[in-house]
Amino acid sequence: MRECSRLSRRAVLGLTAAALPLSATTPASAATVIGGEQLARTGVQVRGASGLPGKLTARSWLIADCESGEVLASFNAHRRLPPASTLKMLFADTLLKKFDRTERYTVKDSDVADVPLGSSLVGIKPGLTYTVEQLWQGVFLRSGNDAVHVLAHMNGGIAGTVAEMQAKAEDLQALDTHVVSPDGFDHPGQISSAYDLTLFARHGLKDADFRGYCGTRTANFPAGGKKTFQIQNTDRLLTGAWGLRTYDGLIGVKNGYTSHAGNTFTGAATRGGRTLLVTVMHPATGSNAVYEQTAALLDWGFGHGRSAQAVGTLVDPLSEGGAKASPAPAKTAAQAAAGAADSGSGGPSTGRLVEGAGGTTLLLAAAGALVVRRRRRAAAAAAMAETAAMADAAEEAETSEGSAEPGGRHRR
């Protein structure tokens, strides 16, 4: 099914350039400092501890203490990347408490008519009746976009659910996240970050139902009549599938994969009364790499990371008394603007061509417009470059991995 939904590199670039909001192309450090200024920096951030795993190829990662919210180490924590099915954590944060788990719902054709072609599916059949609990098992265990769409239609529709998810992200202060679809499927402009995904997981794990679903290994799913079939969680550190060992103490949370987004995973594990959260986004190659690098970071956190001093913090939701994120320092913003405006031109100064008070006004207006244009061009170029890198990585993954997993373009 891959060929029917595959986009060319040129198409991906064009769609992204057209659809990405300006805020999505602006570096986090130029807009807000969520969780602390150090998290807005690029590169590895760690203090007071050594021994970080040496083979971390992910484009972004973060490890934090779930209870205190202290970020122990990170790499490009606020880098904005496609989240794939890890966005379903936000979907659950938004909708989980809206329906009683024992409520029953008979699926209509229209409930699954808008599921994207190539999606991962749990096997929802129109005409069958499911409990809400079974639908959530389909979401968490099989990453079923069909189950997501049924729940979204129960909630009033896709558009309204997307709007609620965006509002929830803003309440959680996940300001790197832009929601386009409730299922995490590839859509231009749909982005998040390692920091935001960790916020979603931390918030979700406070809920007993969320914690129970994401930690369930297998479940029986309706097949019609009295028949059922078994579904298994696609979290390989939880089940030990695809040649991986189960991770000791793992309690969840959610994985994701699409051909164009790559592999993404947020995992949580508890040892010795301490729970750590790790998010890994887009390792270079290999379908197991996202799990292996998560396990390596968890090992570090339970070992060397015990002496780490916080490089930032996972902020609390606004609705729970969290302090609103502060703007970036004025000095940082000024430097960013100056850098964008510096053209390096050796031509005559515009100021020499304009005289008098009226000329000064025109000069200021012209300079302001020039800065805006250059900043927009720089932002667009950065977005195009990042999307090109994603497309190249996806094409390489498709070439090297072939059909490592069933399910078409949207795999777990």
Side-chain angles (χ1 to χ4, degrees):
M1 296 180 67
R2 181 181 303 155
E3 290 75 18
C4 65
S5 57
R6 180 174 178 177
L7 297 176
S8 69
R9 183 169 177 268
R10 183 184 297 272
V12 172
L13 292 173
L15 286 170
T16 301
L20 272 177
L22 182 60
S23 61
T25 64
T26 305
S29 57
T32 52
V33 180
I34 311 296
E37 183 179 355
Q38 192 165 352
L39 296 184
R41 302 173 189 171
T42 58
V44 174
Q45 306 300 319
V46 64
R47 290 190 300 181
S50 60
L52 277 169
K55 295 183 179 180
L56 298 175
T57 64
R59 300 174 72 192
S60 176
W61 55 260
L62 182 146
I63 177 169
D65 185 288
C66 188
E67 179 65 27
S68 68
E70 291 185 343
V71 177
L72 307 181
S74 69
F75 176 71
N76 299 338
H78 283 293
R79 185 171 188 175
R80 292 162 178 176
L81 297 166
S85 286
T86 48
L87 194 66
K88 290 181 172 74
M89 292 187 294
L90 176 60
F91 177 74
D93 287 342
T94 306
L95 266 66
L96 197 57
K97 288 305 182 186
K98 288 199 167 192
F99 308 103
D100 188 276
R101 61 189 299 155
T102 62
E103 182 177 339
R104 300 174 65 82
Y105 181 78
T106 301
V107 174
K108 303 185 292 292
D109 288 324
S110 58
D111 294 329
V112 292
D114 49 10
V115 175
L117 187 64
S119 287
S120 54
L121 306 171
V122 65
I124 298 289
K125 293 182 179 179
L128 292 190
T129 299
Y130 302 84
T131 65
V132 166
E133 178 180 20
Q134 289 165 339
L135 293 172
W136 281 116
Q137 288 172 341
V139 172
F140 277 93
L141 274 67
R142 296 305 302 171
S143 205
N145 286 4
D146 46 356
V148 168
H149 280 244
V150 171
L151 287 163
H153 283 288
M154 289 173 63
N155 189 51
I158 299 297
T161 298
V162 166
E164 288 183 36
M165 289 173 65
Q166 190 66 56
K168 186 67 173 181
E170 292 168 7
D171 176 63
L172 296 175
Q173 305 201 68
L175 302 187
D176 298 321
T177 298
H178 178 66
V179 183
V180 178
S181 70
D183 48 38
F185 197 77
D186 286 325
H187 289 282
Q190 183 146 272
I191 51 172
S192 191
S193 67
Y195 182 86
D196 286 9
L197 294 177
T198 311
L199 285 181
F200 302 155
R202 186 186 185 214
H203 181 75
L205 289 172
K206 296 176 183 178
D207 181 89
D209 286 339
F210 184 107
R211 195 176 182 116
Y213 288 133
C214 75
T216 299
R217 289 175 170 80
T218 62
N220 292 322
F221 201 77
K226 295 183 179 181
K227 296 181 180 179
T228 63
F229 60 94
Q230 188 180 84
I231 57 175
Q232 184 181 47
N233 201 311
T234 56
D235 178 348
R236 300 179 189 179
L237 290 184
L238 188 67
T239 64
W242 291 84
L244 285 175
R245 293 182 180 178
T246 57
Y247 190 85
D248 183 28
L250 196 84
I251 58 176
V253 194
K254 189 70 189 74
N255 52 339
Y257 174 80
T258 67
S259 299
H260 301 298
N263 288 283
T264 297
F265 179 60
T266 297
T270 300
R271 288 184 184 175
R274 188 186 195 193
T275 299
L276 297 180
L277 288 163
V278 169
T279 295
V280 173
M281 300 187 77
H282 306 200
T285 57
S287 62
N288 275 342
V290 73
Y291 302 100
E292 293 165 345
Q293 293 178 32
T294 296
L297 283 167
L298 285 169
D299 285 344
W300 176 85
F302 289 121
H304 291 285
R306 288 177 295 183
S307 64
Q309 301 172 27
V311 296
T313 186
L314 300 177
V315 296
D316 293 324
L318 295 175
S319 60
E320 297 177 14
K324 191 170 185 179
S326 60
K331 181 179 179 182
T332 303
Q335 288 174 340
D342 182 13
S343 65
S345 171
S349 168
T350 307
R352 291 191 177 185
L353 304 178
V354 184
E355 297 180 358
T360 301
T361 301
L362 290 173
L363 170 60
L364 292 173
L370 181 62
V371 169
V372 170
R373 285 197 300 273
R374 285 176 175 164
R375 290 179 67 182
R376 286 177 176 173
R377 284 199 297 268
M384 295 280 280
E386 181 134 325
T387 307
M390 285 190 292
D392 289 341
E395 289 173 4
E396 290 174 8
E398 289 180 342
T399 301
S400 62
E401 294 182 30
S403 56
E405 292 184 81
R409 173 174 130 188
H410 191 163
R411 300 193 294 268
R412 280 73 58 199

